[in-house]
Amino acid sequence: MQKYIPGEFEKKINAYWEKNQVHKTVSPDGKKEKIYALSMFPYPSGAGLHVGHVRIYTGTDVLARFFRMNQKAVMHPMGWDAFGLPAENAAIKAKKNPMDMVPDNIKNFKKQMSMLGLSYDWNRELSTIDPAYYRLTQWLFIQFFKMGLLYKKNTPVYFCEFCKTGLAEEEVLSDGTHERCGRPITRKELPQWIFRITSYADRLLNDLENLDWPEGILEMQKNWIGKKEGINIAYKVSNKDRSAIDEKITVFTTRPDTNFGATFIVLAPEHDFVKKIISGKIKTDDWIKKDLEEYVKKSLAKTDQERINERRKKTGAFTGFYAVNNLNNRLMPIWTSDFVLSEFGTGAVVGVPGHDVRDFEFAKTFGLDVIRVVVGKDGDKTPITKKEQVEEGGGTMINSGFLDELGTQDATNKIMDFIEKKGWGKRVVTYHLRDWIFSRQRYWGEPIPMVFCKNCADQNISWWKTDEGIRFSKSHQNISKQDKNITKNMAGWFPLVEQSLPLELPYTKSYEPTGTGESPLTKIKGWVETKCPHCGASAKRETDTMPNWAGSCWYFLRFASQKINSKSQISNYKKNPNNKEQNLFGTWDLEFRASIKKWLPVDWYLGGAEHAVLHLLYSRFWVKAMQDLGLLDFSEPFLRLRNVGMVIAEDHRKMSKSFGNIINPDDVVLEYGADALRIYEMFMAPFNQEIAWSTTALQGAYRFLNRVWKIYHSFKFNPITSKIEDDKKKLIGKLNKTIQKVTDDIPQTKFNTAIAAMMEFLNDWERFNKPLASESLDVDEAKKFLQILAPFAPFITEEIWLNVFGEKNSIHLSNWPKSGDLVVEEELKIPVQVDGRLRSFVVLSRQDLSEKKIIESAVKDEKVSKFIGGKKYKAIYVKGKILNIVLAG
RNA sequence: GGGCGAGUGGCGGAAUGGCAGACGCGUAGGUCUCAAAAACCUAUGAGGGCAACCUCAUGAGGGUUCGACUCCCUCCUCGCCCACCA
């Protein structure tokens, strides 16, 4: 018998699959239901595939193969998220141009994926750095600009001094470091392209309801969007002597019920009122102005890490002015402090120190008044002097005029009505979600297809005032929601003529980030200088590029169409930069729309949980915006989302070069074969749970496959004699149960228990009728077991299918076996408990299976009667499951 | 501080109202071998007992139930996400 040496046939099987196009997408028709199974696509780093990648991709592959065998029309594509920081930083480190290096990385990734037996339809391969691909990324950018979702503005951005780029808030970790490079982040004010994702906040929140996603991810998105209902209250500002000045301070609060307890106002250091005092527009004492100036300067210079380190320590400066509380005419001093965030609400807070710990700390630090207006559960009515007494929860109102005695909820409603009626404020909804900063001062990204024309800007012409802009607004009335401020501020900015796309990223030797807040593209004069699409005067291109999220926001759509898909064109592009034909395939045409309709949304989306508020939120946003543009007729991209757990090293640390604990999938495949690696990673734990690498457990998976190999290679094709008929029936019963279990488990991503069930069956099969174990099943039944193993171990099963059974077509295109009639066992074994503790079993034939008979034979059982000991009892029988005899007394 | 999840043998885990520890790893003993590896066989939660068996046991404590790893309450520990969000 041949030994199981995976290296000897895995390559051959791969060639067979390719030749016979086994993984080719089958188009869905009336009969075949479509299944779109997708793994989150990787950025092709130089390090090659991680064993963590293997886990995600194998999971999706098991699903794809399972559904294919169930005769569904399956699309299972793969592509490359090749723009962005990780690729670029790696390239810089290697001192290579990313445009030269990334295509090599892709080749390596692709080779590794084939080696693993991942059943991708490579005809649909795409890469985000392919000009044929990002042509549409740019085109979409322009559409979003036209509908008023994009604007450019000076904004304080999170800035990574190491990566030398601005970042989105989502890319900043809670310790104030950069998600990608781990270095501390500062803030810098830069002109940025910004996406108005906030105008979709409500839809992004509400549509979560219908998604079959992990609960945790849904929660994270909900929290990130962070919808809060409250009220904006405007206060008049006065001097200490109550003489009014012509200013108002508007605060946002969710607890207006506590407003009788308000004793001060705090503004963010960036607040306009503060700026006005510092600039001298509002006059105040010199020493106050100086203090304020110093404080603001100091707090704005802090890095986020410094802010975080200071945490709860309260700092601040007094403005010299007071706000008048309308409710009780109280003068509330106006302070500034960096615990108030300029981006949230109105950037101003009303201080209620009795019922907010932060406010209390601030009041204590600066000697401000504390008033109790709520009596909480503890019933404490005494003045609040200690932090522990601060009542943040609900309760009953006191010291609050007409609100006294009311509960928190009633008081809130009553005072909101009251304030609105008096015209002092207005109910508002705020969100934690901020607009999405979309520019990066880096080379390796899609060029932003916008041009700035000084000539037009001087005449205050914005795109929306051009003929084209007016026409667009008329034909898209439902979505033309760019507000007046945006229109006003966007004078001089024009999108490229769409026919000229793609705006290709130029090949350059100086691709390293500049650190000046401008991208390296700025230095390429011939590229920057262009003509204004509107007036024809000389103009300048936008030199910032898009973030790496851009390409991944719509790639799942692109797979749907093969026609406008293409092989990576980077090399062609470099050889013939002027050959537009070669780099331009299709557009958002009818064919593309039809393909999208056929395949989208994605049915199964598998990937890590780390994208919860990044890629998964951005993609949902783009899809909704595209729906509004009439490009799509659905609102959610991913129907089912499943998370994969991380694979960490054997020493329970992250796999990393510096720890020297990296497992390279190539080595594993070389030694144990791809099937063993796949089985191991699917078997070790529930799919969404973290696993630590274990080479001995991997060897267990190999042993299992080795036994499969042996039993099939010693398989005799003769039917079995009648002598063992009964046992054989049992084995076939077990086989049917196993088929049922695997069939149920796979769509629930319970891969570990599916594999355990198959191991159990193999144990039984081997034990049965030794030493001729292989004779114990008929050929047809032996094939069924091979088939249910096929999605997990595609190579070994194919090899046996073709070369042991002599099948003509791939096992992966065969029909998934039916579990058949479960063989009814003649005898049934019922566990018997006495007082809830297992004491014995009764074995009865099916005919005798009445409750009466069971109880009769149970009490006769020696082990049972011993415990009954003549006492009275009642019996509880759960049909076919268990009998419990409960003793009286 | 807020949200979510998890605590079961030496280890990864199974069972989610009905026989706790499936399956795998590890360990011990054995077969084969001059020997080793591989492969195969047997045992393997803890305690007691020659044994049949018995007792204890799913983070801790309480509750519901004929019956709880599973449901409810209180607490402890760990992990992940968010966080000076008004």
Side-chain angles (χ1 to χ4, degrees), chain A residues 580-614:
Chain A
K580 296 269 180 199
E581 270 308 299
Q582 209 166 9
N583 296 312
L584 275 174
F585 287 110
T587 176
W588 210 283
D589 59 11
L590 290 175
E591 193 275 338
F592 192 27
R593 280 168 194 263
S595 306
I596 290 172
K597 208 176 172 96
K598 206 190 274 184
W599 286 109
L600 272 288
V602 175
D603 297 288
W604 292 88
Y605 198 35
L606 275 69
E610 68 274 15
H611 290 292
V613 290
L614 297 163

Side-chain angles (χ1 to χ4, degrees), chain A residues 338-395:
Chain A
D338 61 9
F339 85 86
V340 177
L341 307 173
S342 65
E343 310 89 357
F344 189 78
T346 58
V349 172
V350 55
V352 184
H355 305 285
D356 183 296
V357 172
R358 291 157 308 173
D359 293 352
F360 181 82
E361 286 166 345
F362 191 79
K364 280 282 143 192
T365 309
F366 295 105
L368 301 163
D369 295 344
V370 182
I371 302 172
R372 176 190 283 281
V373 289
V374 178
V375 178
K377 266 192 221 155
D378 58 7
D380 184 3
K381 290 182 183 174
T382 62
I384 294 165
T385 55
K386 288 186 301 234
K387 198 163 115 185
E388 296 71 42
Q389 278 179 291
V390 174
E391 179 54 66
E392 291 190 316

Side-chain angles (χ1 to χ4, degrees), chain A residues 15 22 92 103 114 162 184 201 225 254 290 295 444 454 485 516 519 577 585 604 622 768 825 829 862 888:
Chain A
V22 170
I92 289 167
S114 298
F162 179 77
I225 294 166
T254 53
K290 210 178 144 203
Y295 180 75
W444 195 233
K454 194 166 177 299
N485 282 333
T516 59
S519 95
F585 287 110
W604 292 88
W622 274 42
F768 174 65
E825 281 162 50
K829 192 171 149 193
E862 207 182 302

